[in-house]
Structure formats: C-alpha cells, structure tokens
Amino acid sequence: MRPLFHPKLVNDPFGDPALYVDCLFEKRALLFDLGDIRKLAPRKILRLSHVFVSHTHMDHFMGFDWLLRISLGREKRMHFFGPARFMEQVEHKLAAYTWNLVENYSSDFTLVVTEVQREGMARRARFHCRTGFRREAEEELALADGVLVDEEMFRVRCAILDHKTPCLGFALEEKAHVNVWKNRLAEMHLPMGPWLRELKQAVLRGEADDTLFRVWWKEDRQVRETHVPLGQLKAEVLRIVPGQKISYVTDLVYNPENAGKVINLARGSDLLFIEAGFLQQDAERAAQKYHLTARQAASMAREAGAKNVIPLHFSPSYSDREALLRQELGDSLGLQPNA
C-alpha cells in the first residue's frame, strides 16, 4: 500500500527545523516550520500549498524570505499558519520590501495567513502581491478541536504549547486510505481510469452506499459509461484502512500541561517528529531554555503510542555527541529510533 504522505526533514538534526511532506497523487506538498530551506529545490517550494510555522524564532521562520523570492511572479495561493501575532509578523516581513511595480505583474501571488490566537479562536487575512501585500479581508475564525485545515483527504490539527512564547505542535491526519484491487476491477470488467480518483473522493465524502456511481472511460474516441451502486464498488474493488498520521512537535518545555497536549495531539501517530535537544543529565539546562531532553521526548512518544519516532533539533552543544542523544532516546523507547 503506497502511503499518501512522504515526509522528509530538510536539514540534519542540528540544522534549522523544517519538515517537507510530499502528497502523493496530489501534485502538492506541505511544510512544517520555515527555517533555512535553501536545500529545497525551487520546484519543491513551488509545490507547497500550506506552510505551518510553530513559532517565529529565527531558526523556524527565516526561510520566509527565500520562499517569497521563489514564489513571486507566480499565479499561486499559499496558506500560512502560525501562533499569536503571526499575522503581524508576516505583515512586517512583507513591509520590509518595496512593491512599487507589482501592479504591472500579470500574476498575483497571494498569501492567506491564519494565526491561532488562543484555544478555539483564530484570525485570517489575505495579502495580494498586486496590491503591494496590504492586509485584506481580515476575519475571525472558530477552531473546533484545533483543526486548522479540513479537506477531503486529510486534516491538520494543532495544539498551543509553551516555549516561553506560544508555540504550535501539529498533527497531519489522512482521513482514510483507499486502495483499489486491480484484479477485482478486471473481474467486474471495469477499466482503470480517472473515475477511480472520483470514486475515492466519493467514499471519503461519505456518500451513501445506494448512490449510483458513474464509471466512465474512453473507447474508440468516445466516452462510455455505466452506473454501479457505490456500496458494491466499496465492497468489491476497494480496500479502506485507517489513514496515516504524522505529528510534528518542537520547542517546548517539559511540564505536565505540555506533556498532556503533546500526548493527545500525537496519539496513534505512525510518525512522530519531535525535538530531543538535550541529554537527561542536562535537564535543568534544557528547562532553562524551554526545550526537551531525549528522555522526555521518548516519554511522551511512548504515552502517545507513536509507532516511529524521528528526533530533531539537537542542541549544537552536542555536535560531537549525537550518538548519545540517539542512544538515550532509543533506550527510553526500548528500541533504536529512525535515523
């Protein structure tokens, strides 16, 4: 079964945090955190539809300018999400440049910016290149259960964590994974084709089993079609299983409130990307810097039931002791973490 999401850290664990998630079949990608992203090819940056920023410390946000540079002159809309004051900070970034000629552009790169102000509440506004990136169409939003994005195929949920400033953790959840049994299609004398994508979308929308679904294909330069009950197609040619879940958590102090939020957010994750910046012997120093130790990260991962744990955001003070961080995380999990 081919997964929908293909995540990869942009930098090594000592570099700026940034998680690039390619979406199979979707012709787009998502990005979690926006530090140094110069390793990303421009074609990959241009695939981005949504960017989720945990907080705006420089190592999580400095890549905004590079992303903007690559995207200018494109007819493209990109969605950005961040914590309280994020909209103002994006606005200040944009205001640092001169936009006196953009009205001549034939294209209009647009930023749709959402900031999570507090539990259950957010603000959103748009910034259009052709109007000099002025803030427009500002509105308030209610967030149910921390859901930032809710699409047909997936949702993205957030939790507000404490890093001595609000910091967002994220969970990317595929709603279900729908696979096609090709041999059973052949047994029903049904062809492969674009209609299968439409079938998957109908299933994910929860359409009724008695819905007559249109199966269509091209033959002798003509469109042929037949109609089959959706329930029959689901039973005979589809395999529906729980979807992927990928969680991303970084930059937080270890305390009961944060731990509870992380465990709830990451529960049942197939992949948990989590900071493991310090050794437990340096827990006091980690707390002073509002970061986690490897053992603390492992403790939350175990409680959340994460299947695989990928550490990130190692403190540079361990540049010659990376193996010790990985060993502490692996020992605390009872296994060796993914590299």
Side-chain angles (χ1 to χ4, degrees):
M1 185 179 300
R2 299 180 68 188
L4 173 64
F5 302 124
H6 293 256
K8 185 175 182 180
L9 290 170
V10 176
N11 303 305
D12 67 44
F14 290 99
D16 288 357
L19 176 65
Y20 186 88
V21 183
D22 216 342
C23 301
L24 192 66
F25 311 125
E26 290 283 299
K27 295 184 179 179
R28 62 163 163 164
L30 314 175
L31 184 66
F32 294 86
D33 265 341
L34 194 48
D36 185 351
I37 59 168
R38 288 173 296 176
K39 288 183 181 178
L40 282 179
R43 61 179 175 80
K44 289 194 170 185
I45 291 175
L46 292 173
R47 285 176 64 87
L48 291 172
S49 63
H50 294 71
V51 178
F52 302 89
V53 177
S54 62
H55 63 300
T56 53
H57 282 164
M58 182 175 282
D59 55 338
H60 296 258
F61 195 42
M62 65 172 287
F64 179 88
D65 296 71
W66 183 241
L67 183 150
L68 183 64
R69 177 68 185 90
I70 296 297
S71 302
L72 281 174
R74 310 278 179 170
E75 188 63 44
K76 184 174 180 61
R77 173 174 294 197
M78 199 177 290
H79 296 261
F80 291 78
F81 300 84
R85 295 191 60 242
F86 183 62
M87 188 182 301
E88 177 186 359
Q89 290 168 311
V90 170
E91 190 172 39
H92 282 249
K93 281 264 195 183
L94 294 167
Y97 295 99
T98 302
W99 304 109
N100 63 306
L101 299 176
V102 291
E103 69 274 8
N104 298 322
Y105 284 19
S106 59
S107 58
D108 188 18
F109 176 54
T110 301
L111 287 69
V112 182
V113 179
T114 301
E115 68 172 40
V116 180
Q117 296 181 296
R118 57 185 184 277
E119 299 288 349
M121 185 61 65
R123 270 194 314 164
R124 181 170 62 199
R126 290 170 174 79
F127 299 83
H128 292 272
C129 175
R130 293 192 66 187
T131 57
F133 291 111
R134 292 195 306 269
R135 189 191 302 199
E136 300 176 51
E138 188 170 346
E139 58 183 329
E140 287 196 347
L141 305 170
L143 296 182
D145 198 23
V147 174
L148 298 174
V149 178
D150 193 355
E151 295 192 2
E152 204 166 73
M153 303 289 288
F154 66 87
R155 70 174 63 87
V156 177
R157 193 186 308 276
C158 75
I160 304 174
L161 306 171
D162 179 16
H163 183 48
K164 207 174 181 180
T165 186
C167 182
L168 301 181
F170 302 101
L172 169 62
E173 304 166 351
E174 183 185 13
K175 292 183 177 178
H177 197 85
V178 183
N179 261 20
V180 177
W181 297 103
K182 294 182 181 179
N183 59 323
R184 296 183 184 177
L185 270 182
E187 291 169 7
M188 292 183 68
H189 305 289
L190 296 177
M192 298 287 290
W195 69 272
L196 287 168
R197 178 179 174 82
E198 298 168 9
L199 174 62
K200 291 179 182 181
Q201 291 171 341
V203 169
L204 292 172
R205 284 196 300 269
E207 293 189 15
D209 285 353
D210 59 1
T211 301
L212 284 178
F213 185 82
R214 176 178 176 260
V215 178
W216 61 275
W217 65 96
K218 288 186 178 179
E219 186 179 308
D220 298 329
R221 298 185 180 180
Q222 292 185 336
V223 175
R224 311 284 185 180
E225 66 178 48
T226 186
H227 290 81
V228 183
L230 182 61
Q232 182 183 353
L233 291 171
K234 284 168 59 177
E236 298 189 23
V237 304
L238 297 182
R239 182 186 178 206
I240 304 171
V241 297
Q244 281 177 281
K245 181 173 180 178
I246 299 169
S247 297
Y248 175 88
V249 176
T250 187
D251 289 55
L252 65 151
V253 68
Y254 187 79
N255 60 34
E257 183 177 2
N258 270 344
K261 288 181 177 182
V262 170
I263 292 165
N264 183 58
L265 181 73
R267 195 176 305 281
S269 294
D270 297 287
L271 289 169
L272 170 58
F273 292 85
I274 188 168
E275 74 153 301
F278 292 82
L279 291 172
Q280 190 61 29
Q281 68 189 35
D282 299 320
E284 185 175 343
R285 184 176 171 210
Q288 289 171 351
K289 292 179 173 290
Y290 277 67
H291 281 287
L292 298 177
T293 68
R295 186 181 299 175
Q296 290 164 351
S299 170
M300 292 185 289
R302 278 199 321 272
E303 287 294 314
K307 298 179 180 67
N308 295 283
V309 180
I310 297 88
L312 62 127
H313 214 6
F314 293 169
S315 167
S317 62
Y318 298 95
S319 59
D320 59 346
R321 294 178 290 164
E322 178 178 349
L324 290 179
L325 286 169
R326 293 187 179 278
Q327 181 180 346
E328 180 169 285
L329 182 71
D331 289 348
S332 300
L333 287 168
L335 49 85
Q336 285 299 314
N338 288 10

